[in-house]
């Protein structure tokens, strides 16, 4: 009973958001606000994707999110495995320093990172947007904790059989990391898709803007048009919701198992 009530309270705002996006202009602002549109319409979606130009920004965000997911998952997985199973000088000290850096807010590094990218000529480019997504401390930590549960005997047996480190990683270790890879992919996609501050700082050309930046600009022009803003919110939420539903089984398994490895 209690769980059903909590679920209802959680889902209700999302249901009303979709419902309001299908209402005619001004209908959602009436009192009391209706739950369902009297005459459903897709005019607000058409306006956003054609007149508002959000179609381009949608694909900008989608491309950046996919690229960030691939890059982040690749580098975090390689680094996490190295910290878990490879022996090299200073491994524990470097990892301890990385964990200590988790307490530093990301906003602190924005200015020096921006100046570095400016010196490299990467400002107002998608490469500049992707640089902070290349690797993350939390992702490295998550993979390391999960990879420590892989038996050392399995890796040593492969080495005795003559397999190189890359062959061991891609043929033996990587298939065992599927749950944590799905977790990393969800985190990376969400982080890139919802990122507002960094693209706003780096990208000066409106044609390159991402969906959150474009919606923020649009909200200032249509602050009273609740139905139009709800349509924009639906466009923003649907891709990440779909990704989570597809990967939720692996995502939850990766979080649970990765958090209890010693």
């Amino acid at each position: 009973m209690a769980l059903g009530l909590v679920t209802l309270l959680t889902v209700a705002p999302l249901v009303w958001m979709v419902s309001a996006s299908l209402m005619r202009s001004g209908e959602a602002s009436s009192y009391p606000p209706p739950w369902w549109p009297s005459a459903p319409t897709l005019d607000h979606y058409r306006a956003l994707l054609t007149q508002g130009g959000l179609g381009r920004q949608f694909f900008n965000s989608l491309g950046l999110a996919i690229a960030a997911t691939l890059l982040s998952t690749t580098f975090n997985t390689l680094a996490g495995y190295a910290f878990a199973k490879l022996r090299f000088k200073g491994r524990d000290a470097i990892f301890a320093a990385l964990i200590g850096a988790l307490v530093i807010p990301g906003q602190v590094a924005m200015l020096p990172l921006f100046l570095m990218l400016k010196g490299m000529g990467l400002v107002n480019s998608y490469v500049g947007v992707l640089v902070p997504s290349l690797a993350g401390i939390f992702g490295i930590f998550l993979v390391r904790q999960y990879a420590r549960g892989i038996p050392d005997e399995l890796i040593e047996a492969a080495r005795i059989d003559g397999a190189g480190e890359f062959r061991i990683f891609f043929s033996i270790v990587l298939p065992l990391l599927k749950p944590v890879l799905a977790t990393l992919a969800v985190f990376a996609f969400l982080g890139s898709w919802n990122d507002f501050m960094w693209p706003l700082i780096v990208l000066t050309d409106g044609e390159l803007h991402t969906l959150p930046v474009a919606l923020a600009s649009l909200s200032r022009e249509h602050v009273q048009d609740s139905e139009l803003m709800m349509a924009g919110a639906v466009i923003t939420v649907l891709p990440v919701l779909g990704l989570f539903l597809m990967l939720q089984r692996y995502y939850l398994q990766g979080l649970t198992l990765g958090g209890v490895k010693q």
Side-chain angles (χ1 to χ4, degrees), residues 6-261:
V6 172
T7 303
L8 181 62
L9 292 174
T10 303
V11 173
L14 297 176
V15 173
W16 189 82
M17 177 180 70
V18 176
S19 177
S21 70
L22 300 174
M23 295 178 185
R24 293 173 297 178
S25 296
E27 188 176 352
S29 302
S30 59
Y31 185 84
W35 270 101
W36 310 109
S38 58
T41 176
L42 295 175
D43 289 345
H44 304 297
Y45 291 96
R46 296 191 190 98
L48 286 175
L49 296 176
T50 56
Q51 302 171 15
L54 286 193
R56 174 186 290 273
Q57 280 78 20
F58 177 87
F59 287 105
N60 290 347
S61 286
L62 185 62
L64 282 172
I66 292 174
T69 301
L70 294 175
L71 291 171
S72 177
T73 302
T74 300
F75 286 109
N76 285 333
T77 304
L78 290 170
Y81 169 72
F83 280 115
K85 293 300 181 181
L86 301 183
R87 295 179 177 85
F88 53 89
K89 187 176 181 180
R91 182 188 68 174
D92 295 336
I94 295 173
F95 185 73
L98 288 176
I99 295 300
L102 279 173
V103 302
I104 303 175
Q107 291 80 1
V108 174
M110 283 187 175
L111 179 58
L113 182 57
F114 176 82
L115 295 176
M116 287 175 54
L117 294 177
K118 184 178 180 181
M120 298 167 63
L122 296 178
V123 172
N124 197 34
S125 70
Y126 288 143
V127 176
V129 178
L130 289 172
V131 167
S133 305
L134 293 180
I137 299 173
F138 177 74
I140 295 173
F141 169 79
L142 196 64
V143 175
R144 176 185 180 270
Q145 295 302 98
Y146 194 92
R148 293 188 71 179
I150 299 175
D152 292 333
E153 294 79 7
L154 185 63
I155 298 175
E156 290 299 329
R159 287 173 179 155
I160 292 173
D161 288 340
E165 293 299 329
F166 281 100
R167 176 70 181 276
I168 293 173
F169 177 78
F170 287 105
S171 300
I172 298 175
V173 176
L174 201 58
L176 298 175
L177 296 178
K178 283 183 179 179
V180 78
L181 290 178
T183 305
L184 283 176
V186 171
F187 276 129
F189 191 92
L190 284 174
S192 177
W193 181 267
N194 294 326
D195 193 11
F196 170 78
M197 184 64 68
W198 184 244
L200 180 65
I201 293 173
V202 175
L203 300 176
T204 58
D205 188 350
E207 296 294 321
L208 301 178
H209 279 172
T210 57
L211 192 58
V213 177
L215 279 175
S217 301
L218 195 65
S219 66
R220 292 194 293 270
E221 302 174 10
H222 302 273
V223 65
Q224 299 296 329
D225 198 341
S226 302
E227 297 79 12
L228 188 70
M229 291 298 97
M230 289 301 103
V234 171
I235 293 174
T236 304
V237 167
L238 281 181
V240 293
L241 182 61
L243 178 68
F244 177 77
L245 292 176
M246 286 189 298
L247 300 179
Q248 63 174 330
R249 179 166 63 92
Y250 296 108
Y251 171 78
L252 295 175
Q253 184 181 356
L255 279 181
T256 305
L257 296 180
V260 299
K261 299 299 180 184

